[in-house]
Amino acid sequence: MMLSDHFSLAEMIASDTAARHGISNAPGPFEIDNLRRLCVLVLEPLRAAIGQPIRITSGYRSSLLNTLVGGSRTSDHCAGRAADIQIDGTSPLTLCRAIESLDLPTRQVIHEFGNWCHVSIPAAGDAPRREYLTAVKVGKKTEYLRGLV
C-alpha cells in the first residue's frame, strides 16, 4: 500500500529487530492515517525540495518493538507520527537543516547522535511546534541540546 507518491506502508513498518524477535509491527488504521500525514506533510515536500530518495531507517514501532529498541515511552513512532531518515550522500545535520529551512509543519526535528534525522509531526488538529534539537550521549544518558548542531 502506498501512503504517498514515493513512500509505502511496507518501508514505514520494516524492522530488522521485529523480524529477529518474531514480533508483529503491524499498525492499525489510526497509525496508518498518521503515517500517511507524515509522508504527505513532510516527507514528500522534503523529497521534492532535495530531489533525492529518502531512506526510512525507522518508522512506525509497535509498543513492544519500541521497548526492544530502547525508544522513549512517549515516542511519536508508536503513533505513526515519526520517522528516522537518511539520504545517501547527505549528512544527517544537513538533512535536519533542510527541514528547518523549508519550515515544514513538524513537531520535532532531532539531529540524533550525528547518525540520522528524526522527524515527527503533531497529532491531527494540533499546531506544529517546530522544535529543533540535537541528541548527544553524555555517559549512558541521552541529552537534548536546543538547536541543530
Side-chain angles (χ1 to χ4, degrees), residues 3-141:
L3 299 172
S4 66
D5 287 346
H6 297 98
F7 297 95
S8 69
L9 178 60
E11 72 185 304
M12 295 300 281
I13 66 172
S15 169
D16 290 341
T17 301
R20 195 168 42 255
H21 287 85
I23 62 171
S24 171
N25 194 42
F30 171 79
E31 293 83 6
I32 292 172
D33 184 53
N34 283 334
L35 288 167
R36 184 174 288 111
R37 287 179 46 248
L38 173 64
C39 292
V40 170
L41 295 174
V42 176
L43 299 179
E44 286 291 350
L46 177 62
R47 188 183 194 282
I50 291 182
Q52 295 180 11
I54 297 170
R55 187 164 20 99
I56 309 299
T57 60
S58 181
Y60 169 76
R61 296 182 198 151
S62 67
S63 294
L64 179 54
L65 176 60
N66 193 59
T67 299
L68 287 171
V69 301
S72 165
R73 291 184 316 259
T74 60
S75 175
D76 285 331
H77 286 275
C78 296
R81 293 192 311 259
D84 296 336
I85 61 175
Q86 297 175 328
I87 293 179
D88 292 336
T90 300
S91 77
L93 180 56
T94 299
L95 183 53
C96 289
R97 286 183 175 155
I99 297 168
E100 181 180 32
S101 71
L102 292 167
D103 198 32
L104 296 171
T106 59
R107 179 174 180 271
Q108 288 184 319
V109 175
I110 307 173
H111 179 220
E112 294 208 50
F113 315 110
N115 294 321
W116 65 87
C117 171
H118 166 94
V119 62
S120 66
I121 56 170
D126 288 354
R129 192 163 69 187
R130 292 180 175 93
E131 182 176 40
Y132 302 97
L133 304 170
T134 298
V136 295
K137 283 285 186 191
V138 177
K140 292 184 178 185
K141 186 179 175 192

